[in-house]
Amino acid sequence: MKVRAIMAALCATGLMLGVSAAQAGESVEVLHWWTSGGESKAIGVLKDDMTKQGYTWKDFAVAGGAGAAAMTALKTQVISGNAPSAAQIKGPLIKEWADQDVLVNIDSVAKEQDWKKNLPPQIDKIMQADGHYVAAPFSVHRVNWLYINKAALDKAGGKVPTNWDEFFKLADKMKADGIMPIAMGGQPWQDFTVWEDVVLSQGPAFYKKAIVDLDQKTLTSPQMVQVFDTVRKLTTYFDSARTGRDWNLATAMVINGKAGMQFMGDWAKGEFANANKKAGTDYVCAPVPGTDKAYTFNVDSFVFFQQKGQKAATPGQIALAKTIMSPDFQKQFSLYKGSIPVRLGVDMSSFDDCAKKSYADEQTAIKAGGYVPSLAHGMAQGDATAGAMSDVVTKFMNSKESSQDAVAALAKAAMTK
C-alpha cells in the first residue's frame, strides 16, 4: 500500500497527536535498520561525528535487512506526530514521503557542497522531489555480487565462474567436496535479490525493459521463462534449514567455510571485514555470472522530517546532511559498511580490492548504460509494484510452480499500483 493511503487511513482514526521529541540543535533522532556488525560500526561513525558537533544522538534502530519493519515503525511515528529527525529511506519512496508534505528540504547543504557535480546523475535525481533536495545519500552498494569462500574455491579448482554453466559446475564440485554450495537466507527480499541477479545476467537492456519499464512483452518472453528456470536450478543448491535465516547469518556460513558461495550486495563485505577476513586471501568477490558489465545500485539515504510542525530544517538536520556528504565521512562509512562512497572523487586508495573494482565498474557502467536501479532493494519501483512482484518470486522459489505460470503471474503483478 502506498504511503499516502496508509496515512489517510490512520489519520481517519484520529491518530495525529503530539509533536516530535527531537529538539532542534540539541537532539537528533535517527531511524534506520543498520543492526548487523559491519552496519553498526558504520552508523557509529555518524553518531560519533554528530556527538562531536554537540548534538545528542537518539538511535532508533529497527532490525531487518530489507527495512520492512523499519518502514512500518516510521509510518506509526509520523502518524502519531513523533516523526524522527531523519530516517533511512530510498528510491521512489523518497518522493512518496515528500508528497505528504512532511519533509523539509536541505537545498542549502546541496548547494554549498555542490551535490549536482559530486553525485552520479542517476542518484542526484533520486535525492530530489519537486526540484528540492529532501534526502542525503550515504553510499552506493552494488547488488550483483557473488561471494566465494577462497579455500572452497581452491579445492574445487580455483576458477571463478563467469557464466551460469561454469557456476553450476563449480557448485557441483563443492557439493561433491561436502560443502554446501550456496548460503541462502529465507526471507522474501533475499529471494528477490537472487532473482534480480539472474534477470541482470540477461543483459542491462533486458533488465531495463523488464524491471524499470515493466514492459509486458519482455516480462512474458521466453527469456524471462529462462530466468525462472535458472532460479529453479539455483534453489536445488540451497539447504533445507534456510527458512527465516537472516542475510548476515548466511554470510557467516561462507566466512566460516560451512558454505561455498552467497549472492548478496556488497554490504556483506562489511561482515567479512568485521570477521578480519581479507578479500583475495580469505574470500573472493566477483560479479554475478553474466553481469560483469552491469551494475545494480542500491543507495542508502536519509530523509528529513518536519519537527514541531516547522517547515524548515533544524540546525541538527542541516548538520546531519552536511556530515553525511562530507568526503571524510563518506570514506570512513563505506570502509565499515562494505560499500563505496556515493560522492564522486573520494580517495579510494585505502579501500580493498573489491571496493576498488566496484568503483571502477560503477564508472564504466554509468558511461556504458549498464548502471541500473535495484528492484529488490527499493530503487526501481514503488512499494506496491515491487511487493507484488516479490510475492511472485518468493512463491515460485518455495513451491513447485512452473516457470511459465510464474512468468504469467509476474506480468500481472507488474501492473499493481
Side-chain angles (χ1 to χ4, degrees), residues 94-359:
I94 292 174
K95 188 175 187 310
E96 286 192 25
W97 277 109
D99 288 344
Q100 305 311 307
D101 195 29
V102 294
L103 303 183
V104 295
N105 79 61
I106 49 173
D107 290 341
S108 61
V109 179
K111 182 178 180 181
E112 179 184 340
Q113 296 179 322
D114 201 355
W115 289 11
K116 192 166 292 293
K117 174 184 176 182
N118 289 309
L119 290 174
Q122 296 91 333
I123 295 172
D124 182 68
K125 182 180 179 181
I126 294 171
M127 297 302 112
Q128 301 179 55
D130 299 322
H132 296 284
Y133 287 91
V134 294
F138 278 78
S139 58
V140 177
H141 281 294
R142 185 183 196 177
V143 178
N144 57 308
W145 278 119
L146 173 68
Y147 292 91
I148 312 175
N149 180 285
K150 185 65 162 55
L153 177 64
D154 290 343
K155 189 175 182 180
K159 180 176 172 55
V160 176
T162 59
N163 57 52
W164 289 117
D165 285 342
E166 291 176 357
F167 177 87
F168 289 122
K169 288 178 182 178
L170 176 60
D172 287 335
K173 288 180 180 178
M174 288 183 175
K175 192 172 184 179
D177 290 334
I179 300 172
M180 185 191 308
I182 304 174
M184 183 68 187
Q187 296 159 333
W189 72 267
Q190 296 187 61
D191 294 339
F192 212 21
T193 297
V194 172
W195 176 84
E196 173 185 281
D197 285 340
V198 181
V199 175
L200 186 64
S201 73
Q202 305 301 303
F206 179 83
Y207 182 96
K208 287 178 184 177
K209 287 182 180 179
I211 301 303
V212 179
D213 300 337
L214 301 177
D215 177 67
Q216 286 287 308
K217 185 176 180 181
T218 305
L219 290 169
T220 56
S221 66
Q223 201 167 356
M224 187 59 76
V225 173
Q226 183 181 338
V227 166
F228 278 93
D229 286 344
T230 300
V231 170
R232 172 70 77 214
K233 189 169 182 178
L234 287 171
T235 65
T236 65
Y237 295 93
F238 299 164
D239 68 306
S240 58
R242 77 182 185 96
T243 304
R245 181 186 292 146
D246 287 332
W247 70 270
N248 54 311
L249 298 181
T251 305
M253 294 166 68
V254 178
I255 292 172
N256 298 329
K258 293 183 179 179
M261 299 177 282
Q262 181 189 21
F263 295 96
M264 190 54 59
D266 54 13
W267 51 90
K269 189 157 60 68
E271 298 302 297
F272 284 94
N274 204 39
N276 297 314
K277 300 299 182 181
K278 186 177 179 181
T281 301
D282 302 303
Y283 69 98
V284 172
C285 51
V288 168
T291 72
D292 61 308
K293 299 187 185 304
Y295 196 112
T296 35
F297 64 82
N298 174 22
V299 178
D300 290 313
S301 55
F302 275 179
V303 299
F304 303 88
F305 286 88
Q306 294 174 14
Q307 302 292 289
K308 294 183 177 180
Q310 297 181 29
K311 291 290 186 178
T314 67
Q317 290 171 321
I318 292 294
L320 189 60
K322 189 177 296 186
T323 301
I324 289 169
M325 270 293 285
S326 66
D328 286 345
F329 172 78
Q330 286 272 314
K331 177 180 177 180
Q332 192 57 59
F333 180 86
S334 282
L335 283 170
Y336 283 143
K337 187 73 161 52
S339 53
I340 61 172
V342 68
R343 181 174 178 137
L344 299 172
V346 173
D347 179 18
M348 295 292 293
S349 61
S350 58
F351 284 80
D352 61 34
D353 291 345
C354 293
K356 289 176 181 175
K357 178 171 176 53
S358 180
Y359 184 78

Side-chain angles (χ1 to χ4, degrees), residues 51-73:
T51 300
K52 290 175 183 176
Q53 295 177 58
Y55 295 96
T56 299
W57 179 278
K58 293 182 66 177
D59 200 63
F60 192 167
V62 183
M71 290 301 93
T72 299

